[in-house]
Amino acid sequence: MSDILHRIGVEHSSPEQVYDALTTLDGLSGWWTEKTSGQTDLGGVIEFRFGPGGFDMKVTELDPGRLVRWDVVDGPPEWVGTSVQWDLRQDGDYTIVLFRHEGWRDPAEFMYHCSTKWGTFLMSLKQLLETGEGAPAPRDVKISDWH
Amino acid sequence: MSDILHRIGVEHSSPEQVYDALTTLDGLSGWWTEKTSGQTDLGGVIEFRFGPGGFDMKVTELDPGRLVRWDVVDGPPEWVGTSVQWDLRQDGDYTIVLFRHEGWRDPAEFMYHCSTKWGTFLMSLKQLLETGEGAPAPRDVKISDWH
């Protein structure tokens, strides 16, 4: 099994502010996709929608200012059964975000794509918190023919 | 062992043009780091330098327009012994670039950082080929306190 890993540092932002951007519909729709709906509390299911489809994430762990974890319960077959974890901590002027999308069964080309795409969405999260303006779908950064 | 995977599509560019950007000092210094020197032919060692240090890559495979492979022979201990592979192919208007940095012994925090950083450098490669202007170090995109 392979994981997608990323690390960013969000300047002049507290772990609580980053946590809010990961656990509220308003925050999530500001950096990942404008079409975000559902329940963001523990045990809830959040529906993220994009042009060609989307993902349903069940919120399985929440530790305010420290940890968010989602299980993918619906979406592309490659994603169902995988998990996304966010670890947050303060480090000087930065909130450090460690991101892990784990449980991929096969490192197929779609996983390569999702890895790069997650990177650009993490930069969108950083940008949202630092400048007030992220780049969520459909205004997301295009990386290839697959969007 | 874990791998860092990425996929981008470079629009209006041939695999041969992308291959050139990966196998010439002029190309490499246009998207990764301006301080690139050494030998880019098979068996040669390319030296990539950044503010805090750098990487020496031995060119171990070259297949024009299709494949480039490097072994890391000097640099941070986490990198030495790992390999970087670039697979290229044409797909309609795009050159598809599949990137794999493999052989990491441990998914430490530095690997999370390098994964995101590779993503931004791949976007720099795409930008160089599509617009004529990349974002190599020291003009690279800052992602965190670690640069």
Side-chain angles (χ1 to χ4, degrees):
Chain A
M1 293 219 287
S2 301
D3 301 341
I4 293 172
L5 310 175
H6 285 293
R7 179 190 190 274
I8 56 165
V10 183
E11 210 168 357
H12 309 309
S13 208
S14 69
E16 288 69 27
Q17 288 170 304
V18 178
Y19 182 84
D20 280 350
L22 299 173
T23 56
T24 64
L25 294 180
D26 191 47
L28 291 162
S29 62
W31 66 267
W32 197 15
T33 175
E34 290 180 356
K35 288 192 191 166
T36 300
S37 60
Q39 305 300 322
T40 61
D41 48 339
L42 191 65
V45 173
I46 316 174
E47 290 128 31
F48 299 98
R49 292 294 174 270
F50 301 82
F55 315 105
D56 287 3
M57 303 284 202
K58 183 172 182 181
V59 181
T60 56
E61 286 187 60
L62 286 179
D63 185 352
R66 296 184 57 188
L67 175 76
V68 175
R69 190 174 167 93
W70 302 324
D71 285 354
V72 184
V73 292
D74 205 358
E78 297 92 337
W79 277 54
V80 175
T82 64
S83 300
V84 173
Q85 182 161 323
W86 305 83
D87 286 281
L88 313 176
R89 71 166 196 271
Q90 183 86 41
D91 205 345
D93 267 354
Y94 288 83
T95 292
I96 303 302
V97 179
L98 293 184
F99 169 94
R100 196 167 71 237
H101 186 174
E102 62 189 6
W104 291 79
R105 285 167 294 273
D106 180 39
E109 196 163 330
F110 185 51
M111 184 179 172
Y112 287 66
H113 166 78
C114 293
S115 174
T116 313
K117 200 76 196 178
W118 270 125
T120 62
F121 280 122
L122 281 160
M123 292 302 287
S124 166
L125 170 65
K126 175 177 163 69
Q127 198 182 313
L128 171 68
L129 287 154
E130 289 177 351
T131 72
E133 182 87 26
R139 295 178 286 117
D140 52 326
V141 175
K142 196 171 181 221
I143 65 169
S144 73
D145 54 334
W146 286 354
H147 203 95
Chain B
M1 293 220 287
S2 301
D3 302 340
I4 293 171
L5 309 175
H6 285 294
R7 179 189 191 276
I8 55 166
V10 183
E11 208 169 357
H12 309 309
S13 208
S14 69
E16 288 69 27
Q17 287 170 303
V18 178
Y19 183 84
D20 280 351
L22 299 174
T23 56
T24 64
L25 294 180
D26 192 45
L28 291 162
S29 62
W31 66 266
W32 198 16
T33 175
E34 289 180 358
K35 290 191 188 166
T36 300
S37 60
Q39 306 299 323
T40 61
D41 48 340
L42 192 65
V45 174
I46 317 176
E47 290 128 31
F48 299 98
R49 292 295 174 270
F50 300 81
F55 314 105
D56 287 3
M57 303 283 202
K58 184 173 182 178
V59 182
T60 56
E61 287 187 60
L62 286 179
D63 185 352
R66 295 186 55 190
L67 175 77
V68 176
R69 191 174 167 92
W70 302 325
D71 284 354
V72 184
V73 293
D74 204 357
E78 296 92 338
W79 278 53
V80 175
T82 63
S83 301
V84 172
Q85 181 161 324
W86 305 83
D87 286 281
L88 313 176
R89 70 164 197 272
Q90 183 86 44
D91 204 345
D93 267 354
Y94 288 84
T95 293
I96 304 302
V97 180
L98 292 184
F99 169 93
R100 195 166 73 236
H101 185 173
E102 63 189 3
W104 290 79
R105 285 169 293 274
D106 180 40
E109 195 162 329
F110 185 50
M111 183 177 172
Y112 286 66
H113 167 78
C114 293
S115 174
T116 313
K117 200 76 196 177
W118 269 126
T120 63
F121 280 122
L122 282 159
M123 291 303 287
S124 167
L125 169 65
K126 174 176 164 70
Q127 198 181 313
L128 171 68
L129 287 153
E130 289 177 352
T131 72
E133 182 85 25
R139 296 180 284 116
D140 51 325
V141 175
K142 198 172 180 222
I143 65 168
S144 74
D145 54 333
W146 287 355
H147 203 95

